[in-house]
Amino acid sequence: MLGALRQSSRAAVSMVSKRSMSSGVSLAEEIKEMKKWKVITILAVPVCAVKAFVDLSHEEHHAAERPEYPYLRIRSKEFPWGDDGLFEVKH
């Protein structure tokens, strides 16, 4: 009884562990598709690297200083931690 159970479990495991590609096409077509995406990747990575280098090598252009409007930062009483807000940065 135990031997038959072992044999059936081995047969089930061997059937489950044998997997094929999900596309259901022939192996030659799968290899062709793999090579196509490998070429696309090999061409795309340097292009993306050059684009990133160009974008990051330029100095940032800051906008002009914004005007001090009289209605901004109106304080009717002081904060416990000082004149500025807790997370505001003095410029």
Side-chain angles (χ1 to χ4, degrees):
M1 171 87 174
L2 189 58
L5 184 60
R6 284 184 185 161
Q7 282 182 342
S8 66
S9 67
R10 285 184 189 150
V13 168
S14 68
M15 288 178 68
V16 171
S17 64
K18 196 174 197 181
R19 297 177 61 189
S20 63
M21 297 287 187
S22 63
S23 63
V25 295
S26 69
L27 182 62
E29 291 177 22
E30 290 172 354
I31 291 173
K32 181 181 170 189
E33 191 73 14
M34 179 191 66
K35 287 180 180 179
K36 176 184 83 171
W37 283 105
K38 188 174 182 180
V39 168
I40 289 171
T41 303
I42 289 171
L43 294 175
V45 167
V47 170
C48 292
V50 168
K51 173 79 169 120
F53 176 76
V54 169
D55 288 347
L56 296 174
S57 65
H58 294 293
E59 188 175 321
E60 288 187 36
H61 301 287
H62 295 286
E65 294 292 324
R66 60 182 190 163
E68 292 293 327
Y69 295 108
Y71 54 84
L72 294 178
R73 300 184 67 200
I74 297 174
R75 305 288 192 245
S76 57
K77 65 178 187 176
E78 286 192 25
F79 291 117
W81 50 82
D83 292 336
D84 290 323
L86 187 59
F87 299 108
E88 293 178 10
V89 178
K90 290 183 180 180
H91 292 284

